[in-house]
Amino acid sequence: MSAPAGAAQTLLARGLSVLILLVLASIIWPPISDVAGLVGLLLLIPALVIAGTRTRIVAILITAIGLACAVAAAMLGVLPSLGHTEKLNQDLIAMLAGGAFVGLTLRRGNGTAEIAPESRLAGRPAVFRTGLVVHLLGSVLNMVTLGLVGDRLSAQTRLDVRDAGLLARSYSIAALWSPFWTVTALIVVLVPGVNLWRLFGIGAIFAVVFLALSTWQNAAARGPAVRDFRGYSLAPRQLIVPVALVIVVLGSHFLLPETPVPRLVLLASVGVTLVILWVRFGPRRAGRMMGEVANRGLAESVNEVALFLAAGVMTVGASLLLSAIDFQLALPPFGPLMAWLLLLTIVVLSALGVHPIIGISLTVSLLQPFSGDPTLLAAAITWAWAISAPTGPLSGNTIFLSQRYGLSTRAIVRQNLPFGLIGLALAAGGLAAVAAAG
């Protein structure tokens, strides 16, 4: 890494540390969220310096579109205000970056990852268990899970596209119900008034069906070779962190019902990690481990950070311009069919190389002012994210798996196409259920 890139990485990591502190402070004093938004906007510069080439090009293009929209709106007399910083995705980015701290709880004293016990299962049962483990851990630990399980599988034998597909699918389905995902933070920003209990309750039911069908298809695609699959087994100790995080988030939501869920997730991620490290390694070692992540490790999510920041700029710019020209699409009432068509649009855009967050931000902006059921719109977004993540060439987990294990991005996406078709079919029922429950 060149000296300028190294400096940008350090600057981004430390800037994200400041952003995390500001978002945590906004739990106590909400107006400081505006300052966090401005800090996030400044972090776009170092993020663009060290982001991957494809991500950098997309982020620059999207930022340029957002700025052009803002300039056009200003020429029409509509200027941005401090209140617009709420749409710059600062909560989402802080929550995403905060996940790097959670990964520390999976480390041993020498800095290496904890080793899972040897698998006693083989064949189809091992495929189903691995899918379930990835799903449950991924619902809380996010992309840390892909590296944790993927490294274990690659130690047994070279990770192939079917293994990558199993990881990507099982992980992404958690978007339907997990409050620990960045899509939840995105929903809170873009779709006010969502009933998260209805959204996640129905989402969890359909996630079980989706996970079972997609895992079954993955096992069937392996043919006779499935008999040699050993998979990943879960140590009971690895459940401590997910359970603790869920308890803290639910408890803090009960005590602070007006605080956005992404901030509570961030609080849980940092707080639970600090307590566990303190108990296991002592205050000095815990502080050193947290400091290492704060100074360098937070920048590992640079591609997602760059895209989320760029999407925030585009969302603000588009909202200003649409307000200036008083634009509103003449659409029929937003029911299950419209919701399904919306998620289909986002999935198709993702398959063409548009990151899901860009497709979601753009389509939701065009729907403003939205007068339909916000929970139904949120459900369309979660389904779109769950389906797009494994089938989009620019999604975070596709890029991560292809780069970490030397796999073809195209091959991963092609292997997950049946998953996408299954998801689109199930989504019709899932969206109808959300609408009926409203």
Side-chain angles (χ1 to χ4, degrees):
M1 180 180 293
S2 64
Q9 183 180 34
T10 301
L11 178 61
L12 178 62
R14 292 177 178 175
L16 287 172
S17 299
V18 173
L19 179 64
I20 287 173
L21 291 175
L22 289 173
V23 172
L24 288 175
S26 69
I27 296 175
I28 301 173
W29 191 41
I32 206 169
S33 178
D34 295 333
V35 179
L38 296 176
V39 170
L41 189 61
L42 293 176
L43 292 179
L44 182 58
I45 298 174
L48 291 176
V49 172
I50 59 177
T53 303
R54 287 183 297 179
T55 300
R56 185 186 304 117
I57 293 172
V58 172
I60 290 176
L61 178 61
I62 294 168
T63 302
I65 292 174
L67 293 175
C69 289
V71 170
M75 294 176 64
L76 294 173
V78 177
L79 299 175
S81 65
L82 195 59
H84 286 100
T85 58
E86 295 180 358
K87 297 182 179 180
L88 289 174
N89 295 332
Q90 59 267 39
D91 287 1
L92 183 155
I93 294 164
M95 191 182 84
L96 171 68
F101 290 109
V102 179
L104 293 174
T105 63
L106 302 176
R107 297 283 167 179
R108 295 183 294 184
N110 60 4
T112 60
E114 288 188 349
I115 300 176
E118 286 294 330
S119 173
R120 297 181 180 180
L121 294 180
R124 290 177 182 271
V127 175
F128 276 89
R129 183 186 56 194
T130 301
L132 180 60
V133 168
V134 171
H135 180 77
L136 293 177
L137 290 181
S139 67
V140 176
L141 303 181
N142 286 282
M143 288 188 65
V144 172
T145 305
L146 296 180
L148 179 71
V149 179
D151 288 351
R152 178 60 185 272
L153 296 182
S154 63
Q156 300 172 5
T157 181
R158 186 180 184 276
L159 200 81
D160 62 21
V161 291
R162 292 167 301 185
D163 298 328
L166 177 63
L167 296 181
R169 298 170 178 204
S170 306
Y171 164 72
S172 300
I173 293 172
L176 296 178
W177 64 271
S178 174
F180 298 94
W181 272 54
T182 51
V183 68
T184 301
L186 187 64
I187 288 170
V188 171
V189 173
L190 297 179
V191 192
V194 174
N195 184 330
L196 292 179
W197 293 107
R198 174 157 58 109
L199 175 67
F200 292 147
I202 296 174
I205 295 172
F206 277 85
V208 173
V209 180
F210 198 1
L211 181 64
L213 290 176
S214 66
T215 308
W216 172 83
Q217 192 278 328
N218 182 271
R222 294 172 183 270
V226 72
R227 291 192 296 266
D228 300 323
F229 184 81
R230 304 288 296 181
Y232 185 90
S233 57
L234 181 66
R237 179 176 177 178
Q238 291 177 297
L239 291 174
I240 295 176
V241 174
V243 171
L245 287 170
V246 170
I247 291 174
V248 172
V249 170
L250 292 178
S252 56
H253 182 61
F254 177 77
L255 296 173
L256 303 168
E258 300 300 322
T259 302
V261 170
R263 298 179 191 177
L264 300 179
V265 172
L266 175 63
L267 176 65
S269 299
V270 176
V272 169
T273 298
L274 183 58
V275 170
I276 290 177
L277 295 182
W278 189 298
V279 171
R280 290 179 61 187
F281 306 119
R284 184 172 300 177
R285 175 63 176 159
R288 187 159 58 247
M289 294 173 72
M290 298 282 284
E292 290 171 358
V293 172
N295 284 312
R296 301 289 291 182
L298 293 181
E300 292 179 0
S301 57
V302 57
N303 289 319
E304 287 76 18
V305 169
L307 287 172
F308 293 162
L309 286 171
V313 174
M314 185 188 71
T315 300
V316 172
S319 65
L320 289 170
L321 182 58
L322 293 176
S323 175
I325 63 177
D326 195 23
F327 174 82
Q328 186 174 357
L329 288 175
L331 296 173
F334 193 82
L337 178 59
M338 284 296 298
W340 189 85
L341 291 175
L342 173 66
L343 84 86
L344 177 64
T345 301
I346 297 169
V347 169
V348 171
L349 288 174
S350 176
L352 295 175
V354 179
H355 192 280
I357 190 175
I358 308 304
I360 291 170
S361 300
L362 179 61
T363 53
V364 173
S365 295
L366 292 175
L367 291 176
Q368 302 305 314
F370 183 73
S371 57
D373 180 2
T375 305
L376 180 59
L377 176 57
I381 292 173
T382 58
W383 275 100
W385 193 286
I387 298 171
S388 297
T391 58
L394 274 183
S395 70
N397 56 12
T398 300
I399 293 174
F400 175 86
L401 291 168
S402 64
Q403 292 181 349
R404 191 177 184 99
Y405 303 109
L407 301 173
S408 165
T409 299
R410 184 176 299 179
I412 295 176
V413 171
R414 185 167 57 247
Q415 203 276 336
N416 283 325
L417 289 180
F419 165 86
L421 296 177
I422 293 172
L424 288 173
L426 283 176
L431 294 173
V434 171

